[in-house]
Amino acid sequence: MAKQIVTLTVNGETHEVAAEPRELLVYVLREKLRITGPHVGCETSHCGACTVDMNGKSVKACTVFAAQADGAQITTIEGIGSPDALHVLQEMFREHHGLQCGFCTPGMITRAYRLLQENPNPTEEEVRFGISGNLCRCTGYQNIVKSILAAAAQLNAANTPSSSETVGQTDVEAAE
């Protein structure tokens, strides 16, 4: 089969890669771009270990052909934080023991990242539903859910003006 040039912007960096029409996005990311956060688990879209954020939506990279992603903006776990500057989700997973073996963690955090953008203040039930497409064989989910809720609380606190910032403002000014 003839390869085609596919342009992907992954974690803010644009790449052009030659890919066969049937080549899956997860393999292009891992093998051609050496972005190894998305893991190959079930290859049937059931486990969610390969979850990435593509054009503002969570997708399982094992079910997307690279050609379908041509021109896409993709964020993987590597684009959410770094070892020197963890994203609050990563920090909360560490703090609340939201991982054990770590295999599902990149996909889980990437899905949680999008979930908190879609719903910044989810309930426990909404978190459980929101991550239901990502499987973990180790943790029983309790600490994963706790980690996501803790991250949501921190993100919400960071986005809420403190009472000292609103002192002296009129109700109209505070609402703006």
Side-chain angles (χ1 to χ4, degrees):
M1 277 187 203
K3 292 186 178 185
Q4 67 184 78
I5 300 299
V6 176
T7 303
L8 306 169
T9 302
V10 184
N11 302 325
E13 188 175 325
T14 302
H15 304 271
E16 287 188 354
V17 295
E20 292 185 21
R22 66 174 187 227
E23 201 165 354
L24 295 173
L25 177 60
V26 70
Y27 290 112
V28 168
L29 292 171
R30 291 184 60 81
E31 296 172 9
K32 295 188 175 178
L33 300 180
R34 300 290 182 218
I35 298 170
T36 57
H39 292 159
V40 178
C42 65
E43 295 184 285
T44 60
S45 80
H46 289 95
C47 75
C50 65
T51 301
V52 299
D53 197 81
M54 186 169 89
N55 296 331
K57 299 212 181 292
S58 292
V59 300
K60 295 176 181 174
C62 75
T63 62
V64 176
F65 292 117
Q68 291 174 294
D70 189 26
Q73 298 282 328
I74 298 169
T75 302
T76 68
I77 188 72
E78 291 90 348
I80 292 176
S82 71
D84 296 330
L86 295 178
H87 185 275
V88 68
L89 268 165
Q90 295 165 317
E91 185 63 38
M92 292 301 98
F93 265 68
R94 186 183 65 76
E95 186 175 312
H96 294 282
H97 310 288
L99 61 108
Q100 283 183 15
C101 83
F103 189 79
C104 72
T105 305
M108 193 73 73
I109 290 176
T110 303
R111 174 60 196 132
Y113 176 78
R114 176 54 48 197
L115 171 65
L116 293 181
Q117 291 180 356
E118 295 167 348
N119 182 356
N121 194 23
T123 64
E124 180 178 337
E125 183 178 330
E126 290 168 331
V127 169
R128 288 183 183 279
F129 181 78
I131 63 169
S132 63
N134 293 73
L135 302 180
C136 177
R137 295 178 180 209
C138 301
T139 67
Y141 299 94
Q142 189 57 36
N143 288 343
I144 291 171
V145 172
K146 188 187 320 180
S147 300
I148 296 168
L149 290 171
Q154 281 203 11
L155 289 167
N156 287 327
N159 292 328
T160 302
S162 67
S163 59
S164 63
E165 291 175 357
T166 58
V167 171
Q169 290 182 335
T170 66
D171 288 339
V172 173
E173 290 172 329
E176 292 175 348

